[in-house]
Amino acid sequence: MKQIDEPQLDDISNDYPVFKIQLAYHKMQWYNAYNAVTVEGFENENGNKFYVIIVYNEVQMDPLSSLRSVNLYIQNNYCKDDVSQFMDFICTKIFNRFKSLYNPLRLMCQSVHRDLAVEKFENCLSGIMCQKLNLFDHHMMIAPLNIKPPSPLPSGYSVKRLEVCHVPFVLPFWAKDLNVILETQEEMELYTNILIEDLSSKRPSLVLFHESSPNPIAWIKSYFDGAIGSLHVLEEHRRKGLARTLIRMIVKEITDVCGVPPFGNYRFDNKPSICLSQSEGFVMQPLNYMRFFWNENST
Protein backbone atom coordinates (compact mmCIF):
# COMPACT_ATOMS: atom_id res chain seq x y z
CA MET A 1 0.00 0.00 0.00
CA LYS A 2 1.65 3.25 -1.11
CA GLN A 3 0.61 6.81 -0.38
CA ILE A 4 -0.58 9.01 -3.24
CA ASP A 5 1.42 12.25 -3.23
CA GLU A 6 -1.34 14.42 -4.74
CA PRO A 7 -4.72 12.70 -4.38
CA GLN A 8 -7.16 13.41 -7.23
CA LEU A 9 -10.37 13.97 -5.31
CA ASP A 10 -12.85 15.07 -7.98
CA ASP A 11 -14.12 11.61 -8.90
CA ILE A 12 -14.87 10.51 -5.39
CA SER A 13 -16.38 13.86 -4.37
CA ASN A 14 -18.79 13.56 -7.29
CA ASP A 15 -19.76 10.05 -6.17
CA TYR A 16 -20.15 11.06 -2.53
CA PRO A 17 -21.44 14.63 -1.95
CA VAL A 18 -20.61 14.34 1.77
CA PHE A 19 -16.96 14.43 0.72
CA LYS A 20 -17.56 17.87 -0.83
CA ILE A 21 -18.78 19.47 2.39
CA GLN A 22 -15.88 17.94 4.33
CA LEU A 23 -13.40 19.31 1.79
CA ALA A 24 -15.14 22.70 2.00
CA TYR A 25 -14.77 22.69 5.80
CA HIS A 26 -11.13 21.78 5.30
CA LYS A 27 -10.51 24.67 2.89
CA MET A 28 -12.38 27.19 5.06
CA GLN A 29 -10.78 25.94 8.28
CA TRP A 30 -14.25 25.45 9.74
CA TYR A 31 -12.95 23.16 12.40
CA ASN A 32 -12.58 23.81 16.10
CA ALA A 33 -9.76 25.98 17.36
CA TYR A 34 -7.95 22.81 18.41
CA ASN A 35 -8.81 20.64 15.41
CA ALA A 36 -6.70 19.89 12.38
CA VAL A 37 -7.53 17.84 9.32
CA THR A 38 -5.64 15.92 6.68
CA VAL A 39 -6.83 14.31 3.44
CA GLU A 40 -4.77 11.31 2.33
CA GLY A 41 -4.92 8.86 -0.57
CA PHE A 42 -3.43 5.38 -0.90
CA GLU A 43 -3.07 2.87 -3.74
CA ASN A 44 -2.58 -0.88 -3.44
CA GLU A 45 -0.74 -3.28 -5.73
CA ASN A 46 -3.90 -3.82 -7.80
CA GLY A 47 -4.08 -0.10 -8.63
CA ASN A 48 -7.16 0.48 -6.44
CA LYS A 49 -7.26 3.86 -4.73
CA PHE A 50 -8.55 4.60 -1.24
CA TYR A 51 -9.10 7.94 0.48
CA VAL A 52 -9.40 8.99 4.09
CA ILE A 53 -10.17 12.28 5.86
CA ILE A 54 -8.60 12.34 9.31
CA VAL A 55 -9.63 14.89 11.94
CA TYR A 56 -7.58 15.20 15.09
CA ASN A 57 -7.19 17.50 18.09
CA GLU A 58 -4.12 19.66 17.70
CA VAL A 59 -2.43 20.75 20.92
CA GLN A 60 0.43 23.22 21.06
CA MET A 61 3.84 21.50 20.85
CA ASP A 62 2.08 18.15 20.33
CA PRO A 63 0.34 18.33 16.93
CA LEU A 64 -0.75 14.70 16.68
CA SER A 65 -2.19 14.25 20.13
CA SER A 66 -5.70 12.83 19.74
CA LEU A 67 -7.42 11.14 16.79
CA ARG A 68 -11.03 12.31 16.53
CA SER A 69 -12.61 11.11 13.29
CA VAL A 70 -11.80 8.72 10.43
CA ASN A 71 -13.83 9.06 7.24
CA LEU A 72 -13.18 6.34 4.66
CA TYR A 73 -13.99 6.64 0.95
CA ILE A 74 -13.76 3.35 -0.92
CA GLN A 75 -15.27 2.46 -4.27
CA ASN A 76 -18.23 0.09 -3.86
CA ASN A 77 -16.97 -2.36 -6.49
CA TYR A 78 -13.65 -3.12 -4.80
CA CYS A 79 -13.34 -6.75 -3.70
CA LYS A 80 -13.53 -7.66 -0.01
CA ASP A 81 -9.85 -8.65 0.14
CA ASP A 82 -8.73 -5.22 -1.09
CA VAL A 83 -11.07 -3.40 1.30
CA SER A 84 -9.95 -5.59 4.19
CA GLN A 85 -6.31 -4.89 3.35
CA PHE A 86 -6.95 -1.14 3.35
CA MET A 87 -8.79 -1.21 6.68
CA ASP A 88 -6.01 -3.23 8.29
CA PHE A 89 -3.57 -0.67 6.92
CA ILE A 90 -5.62 2.22 8.38
CA CYS A 91 -5.94 0.52 11.77
CA THR A 92 -2.16 0.17 12.03
CA LYS A 93 -0.78 3.20 10.21
CA ILE A 94 -3.34 5.80 11.29
CA PHE A 95 -4.05 4.70 14.87
CA ASN A 96 -0.36 4.29 15.67
CA ARG A 97 0.28 7.84 14.50
CA PHE A 98 -1.62 9.34 17.45
CA LYS A 99 -0.90 9.34 21.14
CA SER A 100 -4.55 9.02 22.18
CA LEU A 101 -8.06 8.54 20.83
CA TYR A 102 -10.92 10.99 21.27
CA ASN A 103 -13.97 9.58 23.05
CA PRO A 104 -16.18 9.01 21.12
CA LEU A 105 -14.15 8.14 18.05
CA ARG A 106 -16.13 8.65 14.85
CA LEU A 107 -15.97 6.43 11.79
CA MET A 108 -17.69 6.97 8.45
CA CYS A 109 -17.71 4.62 5.48
CA GLN A 110 -19.88 3.37 2.62
CA SER A 111 -22.81 1.28 3.83
CA VAL A 112 -21.71 -1.66 1.70
CA HIS A 113 -18.44 -1.80 3.70
CA ARG A 114 -20.02 -1.07 7.09
CA ASP A 115 -19.90 -4.59 8.63
CA LEU A 116 -16.27 -5.15 7.68
CA ALA A 117 -15.28 -1.69 8.94
CA VAL A 118 -17.00 -2.23 12.30
CA GLU A 119 -15.31 -5.62 12.70
CA LYS A 120 -11.85 -4.24 11.91
CA PHE A 121 -12.11 -1.04 13.92
CA GLU A 122 -13.85 -2.63 16.90
CA ASN A 123 -11.18 -5.32 17.19
CA CYS A 124 -8.41 -2.76 16.92
CA LEU A 125 -9.98 -0.26 19.33
CA SER A 126 -10.90 -2.92 21.88
CA GLY A 127 -7.27 -4.01 21.90
CA ILE A 128 -6.03 -0.45 22.36
CA MET A 129 -8.59 0.45 25.06
CA CYS A 130 -8.51 -3.04 26.68
CA GLN A 131 -12.29 -3.09 27.01
CA LYS A 132 -15.53 -3.65 25.11
CA LEU A 133 -16.84 -0.64 23.21
CA ASN A 134 -20.32 0.81 22.77
CA LEU A 135 -21.30 1.47 19.17
CA PHE A 136 -23.99 3.88 17.96
CA ASP A 137 -24.90 3.59 14.29
CA HIS A 138 -26.44 6.37 12.20
CA HIS A 139 -28.02 6.99 8.81
CA MET A 140 -26.62 9.90 6.79
CA MET A 141 -28.70 12.30 4.69
CA ILE A 142 -27.49 15.31 2.74
CA ALA A 143 -29.44 18.56 2.58
CA PRO A 144 -30.74 19.96 -0.71
CA LEU A 145 -28.67 22.61 -2.46
CA ASN A 146 -31.64 24.98 -2.63
CA ILE A 147 -33.62 24.50 0.55
CA LYS A 148 -36.83 26.48 1.01
CA PRO A 149 -36.46 29.92 2.66
CA PRO A 150 -37.05 29.91 6.44
CA SER A 151 -40.55 30.91 7.49
CA PRO A 152 -40.91 34.03 9.67
CA LEU A 153 -40.72 33.19 13.36
CA PRO A 154 -43.99 33.41 15.33
CA SER A 155 -44.53 36.47 17.50
CA GLY A 156 -42.36 36.53 20.62
CA TYR A 157 -39.56 34.36 19.21
CA SER A 158 -36.04 35.43 18.23
CA VAL A 159 -32.94 33.69 16.91
CA LYS A 160 -29.36 34.09 18.18
CA ARG A 161 -26.01 32.32 17.99
CA LEU A 162 -25.40 29.43 20.35
CA GLU A 163 -22.84 30.81 22.82
CA VAL A 164 -20.87 29.60 25.83
CA CYS A 165 -23.37 31.18 28.23
CA HIS A 166 -26.05 28.79 26.90
CA VAL A 167 -24.01 25.66 27.63
CA PRO A 168 -25.27 24.90 31.19
CA PHE A 169 -28.88 24.84 30.00
CA VAL A 170 -28.30 23.03 26.69
CA LEU A 171 -25.80 20.43 27.98
CA PRO A 172 -28.24 17.89 29.55
CA PHE A 173 -30.35 17.77 26.38
CA TRP A 174 -27.25 17.53 24.17
CA ALA A 175 -25.83 14.70 26.26
CA LYS A 176 -29.13 12.81 26.06
CA ASP A 177 -29.02 13.09 22.26
CA LEU A 178 -25.56 11.47 22.40
CA ASN A 179 -26.84 8.66 24.66
CA VAL A 180 -24.56 9.94 27.41
CA ILE A 181 -25.62 9.87 31.09
CA LEU A 182 -23.94 12.62 33.11
CA GLU A 183 -23.63 11.07 36.56
CA THR A 184 -20.49 12.67 38.00
CA GLN A 185 -19.00 16.13 38.18
CA GLU A 186 -16.07 14.87 36.11
CA GLU A 187 -18.43 13.80 33.32
CA MET A 188 -20.23 17.15 33.50
CA GLU A 189 -16.94 19.02 33.13
CA LEU A 190 -15.77 16.76 30.29
CA TYR A 191 -18.85 17.28 28.15
CA THR A 192 -19.10 20.96 29.06
CA ASN A 193 -15.59 21.41 27.71
CA ILE A 194 -16.46 19.42 24.56
CA LEU A 195 -19.46 21.64 23.87
CA ILE A 196 -17.50 24.83 24.59
CA GLU A 197 -14.73 23.58 22.31
CA ASP A 198 -17.28 23.03 19.53
CA LEU A 199 -18.49 26.61 19.94
CA SER A 200 -14.94 27.94 19.51
CA SER A 201 -15.17 27.38 15.74
CA LYS A 202 -16.62 29.75 13.16
CA ARG A 203 -19.34 27.31 12.17
CA PRO A 204 -22.94 28.40 12.75
CA SER A 205 -24.96 27.00 15.63
CA LEU A 206 -28.32 28.61 16.38
CA VAL A 207 -30.70 28.98 19.32
CA LEU A 208 -34.24 30.29 19.57
CA PHE A 209 -35.58 32.29 22.48
CA HIS A 210 -39.09 33.17 23.56
CA GLU A 211 -39.89 36.38 25.37
CA SER A 212 -41.36 34.37 28.26
CA SER A 213 -38.01 32.83 29.27
CA PRO A 214 -34.33 33.84 29.57
CA ASN A 215 -33.28 30.33 28.52
CA PRO A 216 -33.09 28.91 24.99
CA ILE A 217 -36.21 27.05 23.88
CA ALA A 218 -34.75 25.41 20.74
CA TRP A 219 -31.34 24.91 19.15
CA ILE A 220 -29.35 23.24 16.38
CA LYS A 221 -25.58 22.72 16.03
CA SER A 222 -23.11 22.25 13.22
CA TYR A 223 -20.28 19.81 13.79
CA PHE A 224 -16.61 19.66 12.84
CA ASP A 225 -17.13 16.96 10.20
CA GLY A 226 -19.71 18.79 8.05
CA ALA A 227 -22.81 17.53 9.86
CA ILE A 228 -25.67 19.40 11.47
CA GLY A 229 -27.51 17.90 14.42
CA SER A 230 -28.55 18.06 18.08
CA LEU A 231 -31.81 19.65 16.94
CA HIS A 232 -34.10 20.07 19.93
CA VAL A 233 -37.28 22.02 20.71
CA LEU A 234 -38.65 22.14 24.25
CA GLU A 235 -41.95 20.29 24.57
CA GLU A 236 -44.10 23.36 25.23
CA HIS A 237 -42.87 25.09 22.05
CA ARG A 238 -43.37 22.21 19.62
CA ARG A 239 -45.81 21.98 16.69
CA LYS A 240 -45.10 25.58 15.68
CA GLY A 241 -42.69 24.84 12.82
CA LEU A 242 -39.63 25.92 14.85
CA ALA A 243 -37.56 22.80 14.12
CA ARG A 244 -38.22 23.17 10.40
CA THR A 245 -37.26 26.85 10.54
CA LEU A 246 -33.97 26.10 12.34
CA ILE A 247 -33.08 23.44 9.77
CA ARG A 248 -33.69 25.84 6.89
CA MET A 249 -31.74 28.64 8.59
CA ILE A 250 -28.60 26.63 9.28
CA VAL A 251 -28.62 24.77 5.94
CA LYS A 252 -28.96 28.04 4.03
CA GLU A 253 -26.17 29.73 5.98
CA ILE A 254 -23.72 26.85 5.53
CA THR A 255 -24.61 26.42 1.84
CA ASP A 256 -24.26 30.15 1.14
CA VAL A 257 -20.78 30.22 2.67
CA CYS A 258 -19.41 26.81 1.60
CA GLY A 259 -21.16 26.44 -1.75
CA VAL A 260 -22.32 22.92 -0.80
CA PRO A 261 -25.01 21.82 1.67
CA PRO A 262 -24.31 20.05 4.97
CA PHE A 263 -25.47 16.58 5.93
CA GLY A 264 -27.23 15.14 8.95
CA ASN A 265 -26.55 12.03 11.05
CA TYR A 266 -29.62 10.24 12.37
CA ARG A 267 -29.88 7.37 14.83
CA PHE A 268 -31.75 4.51 13.19
CA ASP A 269 -34.62 4.86 15.70
CA ASN A 270 -35.01 8.63 15.31
CA LYS A 271 -37.95 8.41 12.91
CA PRO A 272 -39.35 11.92 13.59
CA SER A 273 -36.09 13.66 12.63
CA ILE A 274 -35.61 11.41 9.60
CA CYS A 275 -39.15 12.14 8.35
CA LEU A 276 -38.81 15.89 9.00
CA SER A 277 -35.50 16.09 7.12
CA GLN A 278 -36.82 14.04 4.21
CA SER A 279 -39.80 16.38 3.96
CA GLU A 280 -37.28 19.22 3.59
CA GLY A 281 -35.56 17.49 0.69
CA PHE A 282 -32.73 15.68 2.50
CA VAL A 283 -31.59 12.59 0.58
CA MET A 284 -30.39 9.37 2.21
CA GLN A 285 -26.74 8.58 1.43
CA PRO A 286 -25.11 5.15 0.93
CA LEU A 287 -22.94 5.86 3.98
CA ASN A 288 -22.90 4.84 7.63
CA TYR A 289 -21.74 7.09 10.45
CA MET A 290 -20.65 5.35 13.64
CA ARG A 291 -19.51 6.52 17.06
CA PHE A 292 -17.43 4.28 19.31
CA PHE A 293 -17.68 5.04 23.07
CA TRP A 294 -15.71 3.53 25.92
CA ASN A 295 -15.49 3.90 29.69
CA GLU A 296 -12.77 6.48 30.43
CA ASN A 297 -12.36 5.17 33.99
CA SER A 298 -11.31 1.73 32.70
CA THR A 299 -8.45 2.91 30.51
Side-chain angles (χ1 to χ4, degrees):
M1 190 78 67
K2 65 178 181 180
Q3 188 157 357
I4 301 172
D5 292 334
E6 296 183 5
Q8 299 298 312
L9 305 175
D10 289 344
D11 290 344
I12 201 163
S13 64
N14 289 330
D15 290 339
Y16 299 100
V18 167
F19 196 64
K20 290 185 178 181
I21 186 65
Q22 293 182 328
L23 288 177
Y25 269 42
H26 175 35
K27 292 175 182 176
M28 296 191 60
Q29 299 182 330
W30 261 21
Y31 291 89
N32 300 338
Y34 302 108
N35 279 174
V37 62
T38 179
V39 182
E40 299 180 17
F42 301 92
E43 184 175 355
N44 70 1
E45 62 274 9
N46 295 328
N48 291 332
K49 296 178 181 178
F50 306 86
Y51 300 91
V52 58
I53 292 183
I54 303 162
V55 182
Y56 55 93
N57 282 4
E58 185 177 44
V59 180
Q60 188 176 11
M61 304 301 293
D62 191 6
L64 297 182
S65 62
S66 183
L67 178 62
R68 185 161 189 172
S69 176
V70 178
N71 303 322
L72 305 177
Y73 291 90
I74 306 168
Q75 296 297 331
N76 289 340
N77 60 353
Y78 287 177
C79 72
K80 184 176 180 180
D81 287 345
D82 281 352
V83 176
S84 179
Q85 177 197 29
F86 173 63
M87 290 183 183
D88 286 336
F89 175 77
I90 290 294
C91 285
T92 53
K93 178 181 174 62
I94 302 301
F95 284 2
N96 291 340
R97 189 188 302 177
F98 296 89
K99 290 189 174 181
S100 63
L101 303 176
Y102 193 87
N103 189 6
L105 181 69
R106 294 160 170 86
L107 169 65
M108 188 187 74
C109 70
Q110 283 85 341
S111 299
V112 69
H113 303 309
R114 182 264 178 202
D115 291 347
L116 181 58
V118 168
E119 176 188 344
K120 295 289 187 180
F121 277 71
E122 202 161 34
N123 287 341
C124 181
L125 290 172
S126 296
I128 294 172
M129 307 314 299
C130 300
Q131 61 175 291
K132 183 175 175 58
L133 306 176
N134 294 314
L135 170 65
F136 295 100
D137 216 336
H138 299 68
H139 290 301
M140 297 185 69
M141 293 196 293
I142 197 162
L145 183 59
N146 297 306
I147 199 164
K148 293 178 181 178
S151 302
L153 290 170
S155 177
Y157 290 91
S158 59
V159 62
K160 296 182 180 179
R161 294 287 184 184
L162 183 59
E163 299 177 356
V164 172
C165 61
H166 305 137
V167 168
F169 186 81
V170 171
L171 180 62
F173 300 94
W174 181 69
K176 185 177 180 181
D177 288 341
L178 294 177
N179 290 67
V180 173
I181 300 175
L182 302 177
E183 295 180 330
T184 66
Q185 184 62 31
E186 184 181 38
E187 289 171 332
M188 287 288 292
E189 291 177 358
L190 171 65
Y191 282 93
T192 296
N193 290 335
I194 291 173
L195 189 49
I196 290 174
E197 179 187 318
D198 250 7
L199 296 177
S200 69
S201 76
K202 298 177 182 178
R203 303 184 313 273
S205 292
L206 305 175
V207 292
L208 293 181
F209 285 84
H210 188 260
E211 58 189 9
S212 63
S213 173
N215 294 319
I217 58 88
W219 50 85
I220 191 169
K221 288 176 76 277
S222 57
Y223 286 90
F224 67 89
D225 55 2
I228 57 173
S230 295
L231 173 64
H232 189 86
V233 180
L234 298 185
E235 183 70 37
E236 58 270 29
H237 295 275
R238 293 177 183 176
R239 287 169 286 281
K240 297 180 180 180
L242 300 179
R244 192 178 299 275
T245 296
L246 279 174
I247 288 174
R248 292 180 182 181
M249 284 180 173
I250 200 165
V251 168
K252 185 178 186 307
E253 183 169 351
I254 291 173
T255 305
D256 286 349
V257 175
C258 292
V260 287
F263 62 90
N265 300 317
Y266 306 83
R267 292 198 309 268
F268 286 6
D269 60 351
N270 193 355
K271 302 299 183 184
S273 288
I274 292 172
C275 291
L276 173 60
S277 295
Q278 287 178 326
S279 73
E280 285 297 309
F282 282 62
V283 177
M284 195 72 74
Q285 300 296 295
L287 299 165
N288 276 65
Y289 178 90
M290 293 150 280
R291 290 182 290 138
F292 293 92
F293 289 83
W294 54 88
N295 183 354
E296 295 279 3
N297 296 328
S298 299
T299 59

